[in-house]
Amino acid sequence: MTASASFLHMRGRVLEAIAANPAVGPSSPEMRARMLDPAGDCSLEELGFDSLALMEFCIFFETEYGIAVTSGEIEGRPSINALARWLADTAA
Amino acid sequence: MDSSLLATFRHSCAAQAARPALIDAQGALDFAGLGAQAARLAAWLHGQGLRPGEVAGITLSDERRHLLVSLALLRLGCPQVTLASHEPAAQRLALAERCRVAAVIGEPDAAAAAPVIVPDFEAAASLSGPSDDGLPVPDDDASAVLFTGSGTTGTFKVIPLTHRQVVLQARSRAVASGTGIEYIPSPVEFLYPKKHRLRSAITGYTSLLLAAEHSALPGICRRYGVDFLRLSPAQAQSLIDIAGNDGARLPEGIAVYVGGSRIPGPLRAAFQARQVPSLHVEYGATETGNIAVAAPDMHARYPDGVGRPLPGVRLEIVDDDGRPLPPDVEGLIRIRTPGMARGYLDDEALTARMFPGGWFQSGDRGALTEDGVLVFGGRADDMMILNSINIFPAEIEKVAETYPGVIDCAAFPLRSSVHGDIPMLAVVGAEGCDLKGLISYCRERLGVRAPRKVIGLAELPRNPQGKVVRRELSARAAQGEFR
C-alpha cells in the first residue's frame, strides 16, 4: 500500500472504532462531515472522549485488528488524522 | 488507646489539622476542615431522617463530595454502598435492592431505587451548621461499607466490612508510616480508588483528586509533590509508552504502586528502566486488605513475585484438600489478616467456598520461595481481569442466555498485553439471532464488564466431560481467528 492508501485505510479503522462506541461521536452535522472528510479532521476531545472511551478505543483495535495500542499512545495523537497517520507509519 | 475507626479518623484530623486532606481543582481542604465538614454532614443527614444502621447508596461522581458523604456515613453509622453513575441504571437498581438501600445520596435521579437525598454541602461547610455531638458513636462491629465485586457464580458478590475491619485494613496498608500525598488517577466510584481514598482519609494521608490524561500525570506528580502514585497495569503501560516525551518522566523519589492483577516481568522491567526504578507491586483483595508488596529491588530476581507477606498476615500454600505444601511448590493461596471480612452478604454457599475454615481462599494460585517471597501463579478458576476489574465468565453468560435466539454461549478472555483479559463471547445462536444487538444488550446490563466482541459458532469446544474449553477459545482468539 502507498503511504496515502495506508493512511486512508487506518483512518477508516479509526472511524469504525469511534462508531462502535455509543458514548462518543460527532455532535453536529458539520462535525460529522468534517470527521468523514479525509481533508478535514476532528479532535478526540470534541468527539467526547474521556479515559473510559480511550480504553474502549484501544480494546476495539485489539479485538478487531489485533493491534495493541495504549491510551498513552493515543493521547499523544489526539485527532482522527494524527492517529491514522501514526497507525499507518507504525504498521508500515 | 481507642482504636475505633471514628477515633482513628478524629486523631488524624487533630494531628494533621493544618495539612491538606484533599486537594482538587477547587483547592485544598485541610484535615480539620474535612473532619468538621464530615461531622456536620453526618448531623445534616440525620436531620433528613437517615438513621444509624440504615444502608445508604452513594451515586456521586464528584470526588470531594463523594468522600465527604462517605465519611459522614461512617460517622453516622450507616453502611454505605457505591451505586456508581457509570453503571447501567438496571444494575444500580439490582445492587440497591440486594443491599437493602434505604436512601440514595446523590443528584436527583428518576431511576433511583430508594428515596434520594440531595446533600446540602453548604450546610455541611458552614460554621453554624448542625453538630454531630448528639449522634451515637457506631459500634466497632457494625457494618461500615459494602464493597461489591464480580462473583464466580455470575451474580455480584457483596463484601460487608465492619468499622473495625476498615480501620485494620487501613492501618496495615503497605505504606510507610507518617504522612504523604497519595494520587490514584482513577474515579472514586470505582472500587480500588474508593477503598484507598477512605484508608488515606482515616489514617491521615493526603489524597490528590485530579482527573488527568496519562501524559499529564508526571507533571501533576511534580507540581504537587506526590509521594505515592497508585496505578493500574494499563496506566503503568501508558506511562512507559510516553516516557520518551518531554516532561513525561515521573519525579525521582516518588513511590509507585501497581496492583490489581498479575504484573508481567517485562512490564516491571520497562517501567523501571524508562520511568522510575521505585516500582512496588502490590497483592491484596477487598476481602482481606493488602497482603504483600514486592519492593523495587525484588523484580529482577522474582519477575512474578508479589513480595513477602505484610506484618500480621498469615499466608499458606495448600493443595486442593487444604494440606500445606512445601516451599517452591505451587498451590492455592490462603490468607488470614486481622481486618479480613467474614463472608459475603446473603451468600452462604459462596462464603463457605471462599472462606474455608476461617481462611480466605480466593482461587489465586502461587508458591512461596525458601526465603518467603510469594510468587503469583495465576487463577484456579476462569476469572478474567480487565485492567483492574474482575469478571467471571458466568456473569456474562447469565445475561447473554436471556437474549432471544441464544442457544449456548461461553465467555472467554482475549489475552492482551495492555489490558490483561478482554472479555469475548462465543455464541451458538438460533437462525436469525442478531449477534450485533447482543453486544449492546450486554453493555446495557453489564457496563464495563460486558463482552467486547461476540462471535457466532456452530458449536462450542467441549472436553469429554462436556465442560467448555475456554482455553481453546482464547487460543483461537490469539491466532486472530475471531477478528
Side-chain angles (χ1 to χ4, degrees):
Chain A
M1 253 190 282
T2 65
S4 81
S6 154
F7 165 74
L8 289 177
H9 176 64
M10 283 301 176
R11 198 177 192 281
R13 289 182 161 187
V14 171
L15 293 185
E16 277 180 45
I18 291 168
N21 186 346
V24 297
S27 55
S28 69
E30 178 278 325
M31 204 196 289
R32 172 173 298 280
R34 189 150 46 82
M35 180 176 96
L36 297 177
D37 175 9
D41 197 2
C42 221
S43 77
L44 299 187
E45 193 183 351
E46 59 183 330
L47 288 165
F49 270 81
D50 59 8
S51 60
L52 270 183
L54 279 181
M55 181 180 98
E56 294 302 335
F57 184 95
C58 298
I59 289 175
F60 186 87
F61 257 75
E62 196 154 345
T63 54
E64 297 298 322
Y65 312 125
I67 300 173
V69 288
T70 69
S71 305
E73 289 170 329
I74 292 176
E75 278 172 11
R77 292 117 189 141
S79 80
I80 290 177
N81 287 353
L83 260 178
R85 220 169 288 125
W86 172 68
L87 285 163
D89 289 349
T90 317
Chain B
M1 176 188 140
D2 183 355
S3 59
S4 73
L5 195 162
L6 190 58
T8 307
F9 177 54
R10 282 179 171 164
H11 173 80
S12 298
C13 291
Q16 320 289 343
R19 287 182 58 91
L22 311 176
I23 303 172
D24 59 16
Q26 290 177 52
L29 176 64
D30 62 25
F31 268 97
L34 180 73
Q37 287 193 25
R40 287 195 205 103
L41 188 57
W44 184 86
L45 287 167
H46 189 260
Q48 298 296 304
L50 197 59
R51 291 292 169 263
E54 288 182 329
V55 180
I58 309 180
T59 306
L60 278 173
S61 57
D62 181 90
E63 294 285 334
R64 181 185 286 219
R65 294 179 161 201
H66 190 114
L67 277 170
L68 276 170
V69 168
S70 181
L71 292 163
L73 290 170
L74 289 175
R75 168 63 190 94
L76 188 52
C78 291
Q80 59 184 277
V81 57
T82 300
L83 307 172
S85 344
H86 59 257
E87 294 285 6
Q91 189 149 352
R92 289 208 301 267
L93 285 172
L95 187 53
E97 200 171 305
R98 269 281 295 281
C99 299
R100 295 184 277 278
V101 165
V104 176
I105 321 290
E107 304 299 337
D109 177 4
V116 177
I117 300 176
V118 183
D120 182 349
F121 291 96
E122 297 204 339
S126 90
L127 279 172
S128 58
S131 145
D132 69 333
D133 290 348
L135 295 179
V137 173
D139 192 89
D140 278 354
D141 293 315
S143 175
V145 186
L146 304 169
F147 284 124
T148 58
S150 185
T152 43
T153 53
T155 45
F156 41 81
K157 60 186 181 189
V158 178
I159 308 160
L161 293 178
T162 63
H163 283 248
R164 188 199 312 276
Q165 288 159 353
V166 169
V167 78
L168 286 170
Q169 288 198 8
R171 287 221 194 92
S172 70
R173 194 167 62 162
V175 173
S177 61
T179 56
I181 300 179
E182 179 180 69
Y183 186 29
I184 309 171
S186 305
V188 68
E189 288 187 306
F190 283 93
L191 172 62
Y192 180 81
K194 167 94 181 234
K195 61 187 182 189
H196 280 291
R197 300 230 218 295
L198 273 184
R199 290 169 184 168
S200 287
I202 292 165
T203 52
Y205 290 93
T206 304
S207 281
L208 184 57
L209 309 173
L210 294 174
E213 294 189 338
H214 297 110
S215 53
L217 294 182
I220 289 174
C221 289
R222 215 171 288 120
R223 192 166 336 120
Y224 290 91
V226 169
D227 300 288
F228 310 105
L229 176 66
R230 293 191 129 82
L231 301 172
S232 70
Q235 289 171 325
Q237 180 64 54
S238 286
L239 284 179
I240 295 170
D241 298 333
I242 62 168
N245 303 351
D246 276 350
R249 289 279 290 276
L250 291 167
E252 298 283 325
I254 194 168
V256 180
Y257 289 80
V258 181
S261 66
R262 181 177 165 262
I263 315 300
L267 188 148
R268 302 183 192 201
F271 194 94
Q272 291 191 295
R274 303 197 55 197
Q275 273 293 348
V276 285
S278 51
L279 173 74
H280 301 72
V281 171
E282 281 186 315
Y283 179 62
T286 304
E287 286 88 339
T288 58
N290 285 30
I291 294 165
V293 59
D297 59 359
M298 295 171 83
H299 308 310
R301 182 149 175 228
Y302 304 107
D304 285 316
V306 290
R308 292 188 178 82
L310 298 170
V313 172
R314 276 183 66 196
L315 189 151
E316 292 183 357
I317 307 296
V318 295
D319 65 14
D320 290 347
D321 299 317
R323 283 180 300 241
L325 292 167
D328 293 323
V329 177
E330 188 180 299
L332 292 161
I333 301 171
R334 69 179 189 187
I335 303 136
R336 279 178 205 264
T337 67
M340 73 194 275
R342 294 284 169 245
Y344 301 103
L345 184 73
D346 297 336
D347 198 336
E348 281 175 31
L350 185 63
T351 299
R353 194 158 104 227
M354 304 288 271
F355 291 86
W359 293 87
F360 176 63
Q361 192 169 310
S362 67
D364 283 352
R365 296 179 62 81
L368 272 172
T369 63
E370 288 280 0
D371 51 349
V373 174
L374 178 63
V375 177
F376 190 66
R379 292 282 307 175
D381 56 28
D382 298 316
M383 189 178 85
M384 301 179 268
I385 307 177
L386 171 67
N387 292 320
S388 301
I389 303 160
N390 296 350
I391 308 165
F392 283 96
E395 186 179 15
I396 294 175
E397 290 158 9
K398 271 199 166 173
V399 167
E401 281 161 6
T402 63
Y403 184 75
V406 170
I407 296 170
D408 199 1
C409 66
F412 63 96
L414 169 69
R415 307 283 182 200
S416 157
S417 59
V418 179
H419 305 284
D421 302 325
I422 300 175
M424 316 259 277
L425 183 70
V427 173
V428 180
E431 223 180 282
C433 177
D434 172 21
L435 295 183
K436 273 231 156 74
L438 178 52
I439 290 197
S440 41
Y441 181 83
C442 290
R443 191 92 211 177
E444 281 159 25
R445 286 157 183 83
L446 292 163
V448 288
R449 292 193 293 283
R452 297 314 196 273
K453 193 168 175 70
V454 171
I455 303 114
L457 294 178
E459 58 178 343
L460 300 178
R462 291 182 183 276
N463 68 13
Q465 287 76 43
K467 201 172 175 304
V468 174
V469 189
R470 295 179 214 279
R471 222 173 324 119
E472 184 186 324
L473 291 166
S474 290
R476 285 163 66 180
Q479 298 292 316
E481 188 183 324
F482 303 141
R483 274 176 214 152

